[in-house]
Amino acid sequence: MMDERQIFNDYIKSEGLKGTSQRAAVLDVFLGTEGHVSVDDMHRMLSRRKLKVGYATVHRTMKLIAQCGLARQVRFNDGITRFEHQYMHEHHHHLVCTQCGKVIEFNSDRIDDAEKIILRKYGFLMHSHRYDVFGLCKECQNKKAGSSVKSG
Amino acid sequence: MMDERQIFNDYIKSEGLKGTSQRAAVLDVFLGTEGHVSVDDMHRMLSRRKLKVGYATVHRTMKLIAQCGLARQVRFNDGITRFEHQYMHEHHHHLVCTQCGKVIEFNSDRIDDAEKIILRKYGFLMHSHRYDVFGLCKECQNKKAGSSVKSG
DNA sequence: AGTATATTGAAAATGACTTTCATTTTCGAG
DNA sequence: CTCGAAAATGAAAGTCATTTTCAATATACT
């Protein structure tokens, strides 16, 4: 099993790039995250750890982390690009609660099968896909129901 | 069957807004479109028809058209918001060719069924969803195969 | 018609990136 | 090591889609 830092360093080398403390710091912090982090999140986490890395460098490094396959870019509908782990993480889709912002990850063999059928039908060669469902999570539905009952 | 202009005007009135020639022009041009149009596209089409509507107004009006349910916002991964017809148009998903930009629309009962199962499993209340597949359309695959054969 | 209120559009602002460029760092060759 | 070519950094400026501002204008109730 190849270590994530190894993958990153190999990629850096294979592209003729150089290893730097900033890149190591960004990768390090990213490896400690879960879920979906924005460049802003990353920059804040780095600052909290007293790691001073410029905004532009965080951007550039996150792009590298995505390019080498360790992260996947995710864009919901707020105009912010987020990154989630891709290495050793099963691909999944998202249920995004538009109230509280929670993101539930899901998978479905049924959907995978249906997708294969669609791709065959159109002769389409898939590189990537995303299936995002927007709505209310169970908790936010309950909150809403509760408040409307009390107010009535 | 309610006319689209009627729906828009009713919405305008219900929100205490006013009818203007610019709004009518934007709606008119939008009703004549197919597929996925950006604000830029709309603005260009309006100009071609000698309808001078400011950029900001086109933006504002497209938002209204979406809000009243006539259009749906679509965002692929180029940072541009596009609008597609939603009224009297079956909901569908997209196969986006990253080479030529073509967008194939698809539907699948299998996926719809699988989605229902997922929603029930997590108790999630869906408002909207999107399923976008990125890759190469049949034609672009052939072009690629042809060129590599010839170059070899 | 009169008037309160919404609309328009040009220009400025916003916000998420991206690029520029002078300075600093890295790393392979000697 | 130590040079030096080449890449990286980061502050600031630039992009680019979109949004807001605000003075001038249009709309639609009385």
Side-chain angles (χ1 to χ4, degrees):
Chain A
M1 188 53 55
M2 215 194 238
D3 170 66
E4 280 142 307
R5 280 166 247 262
Q6 187 66 50
I7 292 176
F8 185 73
N9 290 333
D10 288 356
Y11 178 75
I12 288 291
K13 197 156 288 181
S14 76
E15 295 289 306
L17 308 177
K18 290 174 179 172
T20 67
S21 62
Q22 289 90 336
R23 286 177 176 168
V26 172
L27 178 60
D28 206 56
V29 168
F30 176 67
L31 292 180
T33 66
E34 274 182 30
H36 308 86
V37 291
S38 64
V39 169
D40 219 78
D41 294 335
M42 287 295 303
H43 190 252
R44 224 173 303 122
M45 284 187 255
L46 284 156
S47 300
R48 220 176 289 140
R49 285 219 217 163
K50 313 284 184 228
L51 298 167
K52 288 214 176 76
V53 184
Y55 219 88
T57 299
V58 178
H59 263 284
R60 290 186 275 230
T61 307
M62 289 312 295
K63 213 190 283 180
L64 290 176
I65 292 174
Q67 279 163 13
C68 73
L70 293 179
R72 196 167 90 92
Q73 284 193 212
V74 185
R75 299 173 86 165
F76 300 130
N77 276 321
D78 57 3
I80 297 171
T81 300
R82 275 168 247 266
F83 296 84
E84 64 180 18
H85 284 267
Q86 176 157 51
Y87 182 64
M88 296 277 79
H89 287 248
E90 226 183 328
H91 178 71
H92 54 259
H93 300 295
H94 303 107
L95 301 176
V96 183
C97 180
T98 52
Q99 190 83 65
C100 68
K102 181 167 55 192
V103 178
I104 300 167
E105 301 177 350
F106 73 91
N107 271 304
S108 161
D109 289 342
R110 282 172 215 272
I111 291 175
D112 294 345
D113 292 344
E115 183 181 71
K116 277 186 204 111
I117 293 170
I118 295 291
L119 294 176
R120 206 174 311 134
K121 174 172 172 186
Y122 292 100
F124 197 86
L125 177 65
M126 177 175 85
H127 288 159
S128 65
H129 60 183
R130 65 169 180 205
Y131 190 177
D132 299 325
V133 178
F134 301 94
L136 290 183
C137 68
K138 202 187 278 188
E139 290 67 36
C140 288
Q141 289 171 55
N142 290 339
K143 257 180 259 167
K144 208 165 225 182
S147 66
S148 65
V149 164
K150 281 187 181 169
S151 74
Chain B
M1 188 54 52
M2 215 193 238
D3 170 66
E4 280 142 308
R5 280 167 248 263
Q6 188 66 52
I7 292 175
F8 185 73
N9 290 333
D10 287 356
Y11 178 75
I12 289 292
K13 198 156 286 183
S14 76
E15 295 289 307
L17 307 178
K18 290 173 179 172
T20 68
S21 62
Q22 290 91 335
R23 285 178 177 165
V26 173
L27 177 61
D28 205 56
V29 169
F30 176 66
L31 292 180
T33 65
E34 274 182 30
H36 309 85
V37 291
S38 64
V39 170
D40 220 78
D41 295 334
M42 287 294 303
H43 189 252
R44 225 172 304 124
M45 286 187 253
L46 284 156
S47 301
R48 219 176 291 140
R49 285 219 217 163
K50 314 284 185 229
L51 298 167
K52 288 216 176 76
V53 184
Y55 218 90
T57 299
V58 178
H59 262 286
R60 289 185 276 227
T61 307
M62 289 313 295
K63 214 189 284 179
L64 291 177
I65 291 175
Q67 279 163 13
C68 72
L70 293 179
R72 196 167 89 90
Q73 283 194 211
V74 185
R75 297 173 87 164
F76 299 130
N77 277 319
D78 57 3
I80 297 171
T81 299
R82 275 169 249 264
F83 296 84
E84 63 181 18
H85 284 266
Q86 177 154 51
Y87 182 64
M88 296 277 80
H89 287 248
E90 224 183 330
H91 178 69
H92 54 258
H93 299 296
H94 303 108
L95 302 176
V96 182
C97 181
T98 52
Q99 191 81 64
C100 68
K102 182 167 55 193
V103 178
I104 300 167
E105 301 179 349
F106 73 91
N107 271 304
S108 162
D109 290 342
R110 281 170 215 273
I111 290 176
D112 294 347
D113 292 344
E115 183 181 70
K116 278 186 202 110
I117 292 170
I118 295 290
L119 294 175
R120 206 174 309 133
K121 174 172 171 187
Y122 292 100
F124 197 87
L125 177 65
M126 178 175 85
H127 288 160
S128 66
H129 62 180
R130 67 170 179 206
Y131 190 176
D132 300 326
V133 177
F134 301 94
L136 291 183
C137 69
K138 204 188 278 189
E139 290 68 36
C140 287
Q141 288 171 55
N142 289 342
K143 257 179 261 168
K144 209 168 227 184
S147 66
S148 65
V149 165
K150 283 189 181 169
S151 74

